[in-house]
Amino acid sequence: MNYIIRNAREQDMSQVLDLIQELATFEKEPDAVEVTVEELIREGFGEYPLFHCFVAEVEKKVVGIALIYYRFSTWKGRSIHLEDLIVHESMRGTGLGSALYAEVLKYAKSKGVRRVEWVVLDWNTHAIDFYEKSGAKLLKDWYLVQMDQEGVHNFVAAL
């Protein structure tokens, strides 16, 4: 199969959003996506981009993405967070996910970061096996903590 891994462009964001929606459905949260194409363009391609995105392209169609951004660790310094690695369902098992993953790690190495991190659902055993075989470590003694917009609003309102 012929594919290209490249940096995303503004005009890719509609297809990127389609893949984000596909991931949400896969993760059993089909109604959770609130981000828009306009937000992706503004936040990824504005004066101070908040993320970088790689796309996998087959026959001029975006069929996979890896969306990353910088974080700062008080212990390690600059690191990269892999927010999502998504491959269209019809393209899974073709090596595109591995190619996107490799692109993220090559990028991280080129930027001299000390850590790349991401989260994976505990039931996604295929992904977990892949990550462990690649040398990644699953930190099972840590909890992912989040507060949604309503929680932030309620907390601040109670101050």
Side-chain angles (χ1 to χ4, degrees):
M1 173 185 37
N2 291 330
Y3 62 84
I4 297 168
I5 305 294
R6 62 171 174 78
N7 293 323
R9 299 184 287 253
E10 288 184 37
Q11 59 266 34
D12 297 323
M13 291 302 105
S14 177
Q15 293 179 84
V16 167
L17 183 56
D18 289 344
L19 285 166
I20 292 168
Q21 186 61 58
E22 183 177 329
L23 177 66
T25 300
F26 173 76
E27 292 183 352
K28 302 172 179 71
E29 297 266 359
D31 300 322
V33 177
E34 297 179 18
V35 72
T36 66
V37 170
E38 293 76 22
E39 283 178 281
L40 290 169
I41 291 170
R42 182 178 65 245
E43 303 297 2
F45 299 91
E47 186 175 355
Y48 301 105
L50 295 180
F51 66 86
H52 184 84
C53 185
F54 298 102
V55 298
E57 185 179 73
V58 173
E59 297 176 5
K60 300 188 180 195
K61 180 169 173 42
V62 174
V63 294
I65 70 161
L67 193 144
I68 62 174
Y69 55 87
Y70 285 107
R71 294 177 71 170
F72 189 83
S73 165
T74 56
W75 291 7
K76 300 292 182 185
R78 188 160 53 152
S79 65
I80 286 177
H81 182 83
L82 171 58
E83 179 65 20
D84 282 318
L85 193 155
I86 310 166
V87 174
H88 189 281
E89 185 176 17
S90 68
M91 302 302 291
R92 293 183 192 144
T94 64
L96 284 178
S98 296
L100 283 163
Y101 182 72
E103 193 68 25
V104 168
L105 295 177
K106 288 188 295 187
Y107 181 84
K109 183 175 189 272
S110 76
K111 298 300 182 185
V113 300
R114 293 190 181 104
R115 179 169 65 203
V116 179
E117 56 194 2
W118 60 94
V119 297
V120 61
L121 290 166
D122 61 358
W123 54 261
N124 192 348
T125 55
H126 180 72
I128 291 168
D129 290 345
F130 172 79
Y131 293 140
E132 288 182 323
K133 285 177 186 168
S134 79
K137 298 177 186 136
L138 271 73
L139 305 177
K140 297 178 183 176
D141 52 344
W142 289 77
Y143 286 102
L144 173 65
V145 180
Q146 295 181 336
M147 186 179 289
D148 64 14
Q149 189 175 24
E150 182 181 355
V152 171
H153 173 78
N154 292 341
F155 179 87
V156 172
L159 293 177

